């Protein structure tokens, strides 16, 4: 049978990690001891008390039926209470909180709720690829906001032409940031709210990494800024905070109309998150938080080993205050892809070329702190031997 894929799949940007994937597979076939710093997926297990809550609640037949579309009330209350205690942000669990099957699910569906064919969305670059793809799938167009070192990897809102800003329906931002590890403070979020009000743009802040921060630093919620709830929503996830990427649980919170629109899309596509996973999520949020402190300590140590090791190898990378990513400048004479391939071929280390996250990521590679301290020590030793 001959068939043609839908245009929306043909419009997907080219997949730029093919060469790295091919090389990695080849090295693994040849028995090379590959160190994978390529994927942003925690290597540590979900804390015990969360697993036990899932086991218990999976036994209860009440949880075997369809969950509520917008999420279990207890879970939404738990999220609202956490926002109050963690950020001082007031949320009404009834209409300002939505349970998601992981935050990626909500991010990917949001443009279907807001974007008409031809509408414009403001999308950072380099970035998590889902923002742009979700806009494309909704028939919209992305106007890219470059994140560059000179501006601390924050979008320069003043550089957006007024006619573009007026046409924009939606803006994505993400701090602490994947892939750059950059963080944003109150004055930036204030500017975003002002911009959104001036041009009637709905803001969507992806806050997946607020709890993965180091040296006592506490990233803020976009919703802490006065007026933020009038213009936008925030996506949160239990994936990175509690090593729960495989469980698929997150939330969208903020502006009730936007939450309602996203909920309308979702109720026509999925049937909500498994109640037992939501109960486990409650156990995560309301349980002992020493696991979070433990997680922060682990990544902080790994970060320090990697940054110090890179420095010994002659590579000066900035130490991130948050996220488990090191956004590492490439030595002179290499492109991102060339350097990433070289590390793989000559040192058996998988990294992600920055250009794969968008053109302004050229000149960087992303290293994820998702292997043990010992493996990071081994990796930096191999890099040092390459002598740059
Ligand atoms: C990991 C990550 C998420 C979380 O995705 P889930 O679907 O909640 O697992 C969201 N945004 C970014 C930028 C991420 O890196």
């Amino acid at each position: 049978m001959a068939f043609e894929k839908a245009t929306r799949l043909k419009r997907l940007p080219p997949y730029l990690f093919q060469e790295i994937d091919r090389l990695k597979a080849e090295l693994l076939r040849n028995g090379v001891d590959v160190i994978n710093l390529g994927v942003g997926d925690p290597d540590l297990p979900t804390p015990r008390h969360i697993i036990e809550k899932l086991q218990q609640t999976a036994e209860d037949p009440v949880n075997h039926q369809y969950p509520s579309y917008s999420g279990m009330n207890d879970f939404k209350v738990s999220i609202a209470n956490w926002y109050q205690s963690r950020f001082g942000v007031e949320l009404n669990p009834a209409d300002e909180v939505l349970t998601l099957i992981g935050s990626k699910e909500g991010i990917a569906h949001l443009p279907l709720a807001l974007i008409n064919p031809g509408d414009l969305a403001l999308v950072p670059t380099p970035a998590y690829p889902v923002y742009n793809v979700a806009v494309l799938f909704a028939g919209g167009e992305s106007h890219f906001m470059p994140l560059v070192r000179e501006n601390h990897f924050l979008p320069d809102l003043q550089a957006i032409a007024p006619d573009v800003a007026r046409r924009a329906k939606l803006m994505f931002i993400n701090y602490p940031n994947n892939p750059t590890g950059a963080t944003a403070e109150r004055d930036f979020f204030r500017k975003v709210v002002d911009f959104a009000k001036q041009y009637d743009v709905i803001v969507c802040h992806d806050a997946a990494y607020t709890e993965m921060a180091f040296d006592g630093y506490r990233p803020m919620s976009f919703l802490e800024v006065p007026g933020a709830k009038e213009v936008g929503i925030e996506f949160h996830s239990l994936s990175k905070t509690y090593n729960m990427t495989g469980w698929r649980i997150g939330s969208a919170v903020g502006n009730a109309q936007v939450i309602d629109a996203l909920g309308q899309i979702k109720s026509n596509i999925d049937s909500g998150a498994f109640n037992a996973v939501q109960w486990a999520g409650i156990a995560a949020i309301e349980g002992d938080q020493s696991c979070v402190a433990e997680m922060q300590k682990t990544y902080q140590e790994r970060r320090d080993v990697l940054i110090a090791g890179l420095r010994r190898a002659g590579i000066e990378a900035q130490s991130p205050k948050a996220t488990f990513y090191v956004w590492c400048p490439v030595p002179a004479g290499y492109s991102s892809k060339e350097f990433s391939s070289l590390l793989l071929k000559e040192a058996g280390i998988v990294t992600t070329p920055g250009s794969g996250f968008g053109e302004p990521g050229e000149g960087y590679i992303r290293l994820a702190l998702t292997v043990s301290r010992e493996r990071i020590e081994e990796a930096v030793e191999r890099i040092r031997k390459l002598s740059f």
Side-chain angles (χ1 to χ4, degrees):
M1 187 191 74
F3 79 100
E4 220 176 304
K5 285 185 190 170
T7 313
R8 73 177 58 84
L9 287 184
K10 294 192 207 155
R11 282 183 76 196
L12 277 177
Y15 180 70
L16 294 166
F17 304 124
Q18 231 142 18
E19 174 66 6
I20 295 284
D21 288 350
R22 193 189 58 75
L23 268 173
K24 183 175 105 188
E26 186 185 314
L27 291 179
L28 285 170
R29 261 199 313 278
N30 295 340
V32 173
D33 173 28
V34 170
I35 302 176
N36 193 348
L37 307 181
V39 287
D41 190 354
D43 57 312
L44 301 166
T46 307
R48 199 68 233 161
H49 63 281
I50 301 172
I51 298 172
E52 278 163 10
K53 192 65 176 186
L54 175 77
Q55 289 172 334
Q56 267 171 32
T57 51
E59 293 284 353
D60 187 347
V62 165
N63 295 327
H64 299 170
Q65 295 186 285
Y66 284 124
S68 134
Y69 287 132
S70 75
M72 232 168 55
N73 187 54
D74 294 85
F75 181 78
K76 293 193 285 184
V77 167
S78 187
I79 291 285
N81 290 341
W82 182 75
Y83 258 82
Q84 176 67 65
S85 64
R86 169 69 175 86
F87 301 115
V89 169
E90 200 85 45
L91 293 169
N92 180 352
D95 62 358
E96 294 178 333
V97 181
L98 186 64
T99 302
L100 300 173
I101 309 171
S103 61
K104 179 179 183 180
E105 179 263 300
I107 293 166
H109 282 142
L110 184 70
L112 290 181
L114 302 173
I115 293 276
N116 284 319
D119 279 353
L120 211 55
L122 302 170
V123 174
T125 180
Y128 189 54
V130 184
Y131 315 134
N132 172 44
V133 168
V135 170
L136 287 183
F137 279 179
E141 257 179 72
S142 296
H143 175 86
F144 289 105
M145 307 183 289
L147 307 185
V148 297
R149 200 167 92 117
E150 294 69 45
N151 206 40
H152 312 284
F153 302 107
L154 300 169
D156 179 0
L157 301 179
Q158 291 193 307
I160 300 167
D163 63 311
V164 170
R166 273 192 292 273
R167 269 186 64 206
K169 186 81 188 281
L170 179 61
M171 175 196 281
F172 284 99
I173 49 173
N174 162 224
Y175 294 96
N177 183 257
N178 174 12
T180 67
T183 53
E185 302 309 328
R186 194 170 302 269
D187 63 323
F188 170 73
F189 289 127
R190 273 214 190 96
K191 282 183 204 156
V192 169
V193 170
D194 290 345
F195 180 93
K197 282 189 173 160
Q198 184 179 355
Y199 294 109
D200 286 324
V201 175
I202 298 161
V203 177
C204 164
H205 181 228
D206 178 357
Y209 293 97
T210 58
E211 307 316 295
M212 194 183 270
F214 317 117
D215 312 314
Y217 172 62
R218 302 278 277 163
M220 62 180 284
S221 162
F222 162 70
L223 297 174
E224 286 180 47
V225 171
K229 213 198 272 179
E230 287 158 46
V231 299
I233 63 168
E234 184 159 272
F235 286 99
H236 216 280
S237 171
L238 303 191
S239 285
K240 310 292 161 52
T241 312
Y242 302 102
N243 308 326
M244 291 177 75
T245 46
W247 296 56
R248 313 315 301 134
I249 183 81
S251 60
V253 303
N255 186 281
Q257 284 172 279
V258 179
I259 293 291
D260 177 64
L262 176 56
Q264 228 180 321
I265 294 289
K266 277 176 58 58
S267 63
N268 283 286
I269 290 183
D270 65 61
S271 299
F274 183 22
N275 279 345
V277 170
Q278 294 187 69
W279 283 118
I282 295 172
I285 296 162
E286 298 181 2
D288 184 358
Q289 297 302 296
S290 58
C291 57
V292 178
E294 205 48 46
M295 172 274 289
Q296 293 165 343
K297 187 162 156 277
T298 302
Y299 292 123
Q300 184 176 320
E301 270 174 26
R302 292 176 180 180
R303 174 200 67 175
D304 292 344
V305 168
L306 180 61
I307 295 287
L310 287 172
R311 193 159 293 163
R312 282 198 302 280
I315 299 170
E316 289 292 328
Q318 269 222 310
S319 182
K321 286 200 289 185
T323 78
F324 52 9
Y325 303 113
V326 169
W327 191 235
C328 175
V330 164
Y334 298 96
S335 71
S336 294
K337 272 197 209 164
E338 285 166 353
F339 190 58
S340 198
S341 299
L342 178 91
L343 288 179
L344 191 48
K345 277 190 250 182
E346 304 296 325
I349 301 169
V350 181
T351 61
T352 314
S355 53
F357 296 101
E359 197 274 321
E362 180 53 66
Y364 292 89
I365 56 169
R366 191 191 74 176
L367 309 173
L369 303 167
T370 47
V371 300
S372 69
R373 183 197 166 116
E374 290 70 31
R375 294 293 277 167
I376 290 179
E377 277 164 1
E378 165 73 17
V380 293
E381 189 49 26
R382 292 187 195 175
I383 295 174
R384 197 186 55 75
K385 284 189 186 140
L386 295 177
S387 50
F388 296 103

